[in-house]
Amino acid sequence: MFGRDKVKLIINELDQFVNNMDEGVLIYKNGIRNYLEGNAQAFADNIQQITALRESTTNQRRNIENSLYSYTLISENRVDILQLLGHMDMIVEKLYKNLLQFEIEIPFFPSELNVDFLKMVELASLSVEITAQAIRANFRSPQQLQEKIHRIYYYETEAGKLAQAIKRKVFHEMENFKLSQKIHLRYFTLHVEQIAEEAMKAADLLSVLVVKQQI
């Protein structure tokens, strides 16, 4: 009974981390939209929110790692859980750093890019949201895991395609922009891509776990 309680505690801690990751991507999406629409106070609030959330997830990660090393109850799954936790933590880190860079560097986005850029942010965010669902499914309903993994790959691929289209438009069509401005836009587009790519890495690990469960 004691052992099961400890395992349940660790899974609850992981679940709370997933909740925060899910909340982080919502803050991130709102923050990008507020920045592009010039809602300065709302954007400043988003920066405060994601900073506080990042601090919370850092503490959560340490607590989960300490729990995993303190108890030998799930030692056979410890490495997998630690790797999954690392990807979750990196997703939150990228959401935080990406949004913070908007506040630090104040990039200029021409209005004709806003629709495509927000669509790319939405696709990358969906890859994270489905990753959160997939992680929960891994512990609660693994029969749903494969479908969610497929959707993560889909959204990551679509985000990548749109990112390439945006960069091509910036460098091939925006002749009135300086090269430094074009590179700046490419830089911020790349950061959104990296969020989806980190979600894909989590999906890769979850795919391995699916195979392990079938052995």
Side-chain angles (χ1 to χ4, degrees):
M1 179 67 72
F2 179 78
R4 287 198 299 271
D5 287 345
K6 290 300 182 183
V7 172
K8 185 177 179 180
L9 176 63
I10 291 171
I11 291 175
N12 286 339
E13 289 175 337
L14 282 165
D15 199 44
Q16 185 56 51
F17 196 111
V18 173
N19 288 340
N20 280 339
M21 186 176 76
D22 220 7
E23 182 180 348
V25 79
L26 294 175
I27 296 170
Y28 172 76
K29 282 195 297 185
N30 287 335
I32 299 295
R33 182 174 295 278
N34 283 326
Y35 180 87
L36 294 178
E37 294 179 353
N39 301 323
Q41 185 55 57
F43 176 72
D45 292 342
N46 295 140
I47 292 292
Q48 289 183 344
Q49 291 166 349
I50 205 160
T51 300
L53 185 137
R54 180 59 185 135
E55 292 174 357
S56 175
T57 56
T58 298
N59 292 330
Q60 283 179 326
R61 178 178 181 174
R62 290 174 184 151
N63 290 337
I64 294 169
E65 288 175 338
N66 289 337
S67 296
L68 287 169
Y69 285 118
S70 298
Y71 308 114
T72 59
L73 307 169
I74 50 176
S75 57
E76 69 276 10
N77 302 117
R78 183 186 298 164
V79 173
D80 293 332
I81 293 175
L82 285 171
Q83 288 179 341
L84 188 57
L85 180 62
H87 289 304
M88 293 159 62
D89 190 62
M90 185 56 68
I91 288 171
V92 177
E93 177 75 1
K94 287 186 180 296
L95 292 170
Y96 163 70
K97 284 188 173 180
N98 191 333
L99 195 58
L100 194 64
Q101 288 306 113
F102 277 85
E103 191 267 337
I104 293 171
E105 298 189 19
I106 318 175
F108 171 70
F109 273 79
S111 58
E112 60 265 34
L113 280 185
N114 283 6
V115 172
D116 283 344
F117 191 80
L118 284 172
K119 184 177 179 181
M120 180 182 60
V121 168
E122 179 66 24
L123 288 166
S125 298
L126 282 168
S127 73
V128 174
E129 291 170 13
I130 303 302
T131 299
Q133 295 176 20
I135 292 168
R136 291 193 180 98
N138 181 62
F139 292 104
R140 291 189 171 86
S141 50
Q143 69 276 8
Q144 299 178 7
L145 191 52
Q146 196 61 58
E147 176 193 350
K148 296 184 185 302
I149 290 170
H150 175 75
R151 291 176 65 190
I152 295 167
Y153 289 144
Y154 171 79
Y155 288 126
E156 188 277 333
T157 299
E158 292 302 306
K161 288 178 182 177
L162 189 51
Q164 296 309 311
I166 290 172
K167 286 183 278 190
R168 190 171 287 107
K169 182 175 183 178
V170 168
F171 282 95
H172 291 196
E173 299 179 21
M174 302 177 69
E175 298 179 356
N176 58 326
F177 265 54
K178 297 178 181 178
L179 179 60
S180 59
Q181 292 174 305
K182 294 179 180 181
I183 291 173
H184 209 203
L185 291 172
R186 181 200 64 81
Y187 171 79
F188 278 88
T189 301
L190 177 63
H191 278 193
V192 179
E193 278 186 281
Q194 289 174 340
I195 291 171
E197 288 169 359
E198 195 60 43
M200 183 184 67
K201 292 177 184 177
D204 288 341
L205 178 57
L206 289 166
S207 294
V208 172
L209 297 183
V210 169
V211 174
K212 285 185 177 182
Q213 291 165 3
Q214 295 171 349
I215 295 176

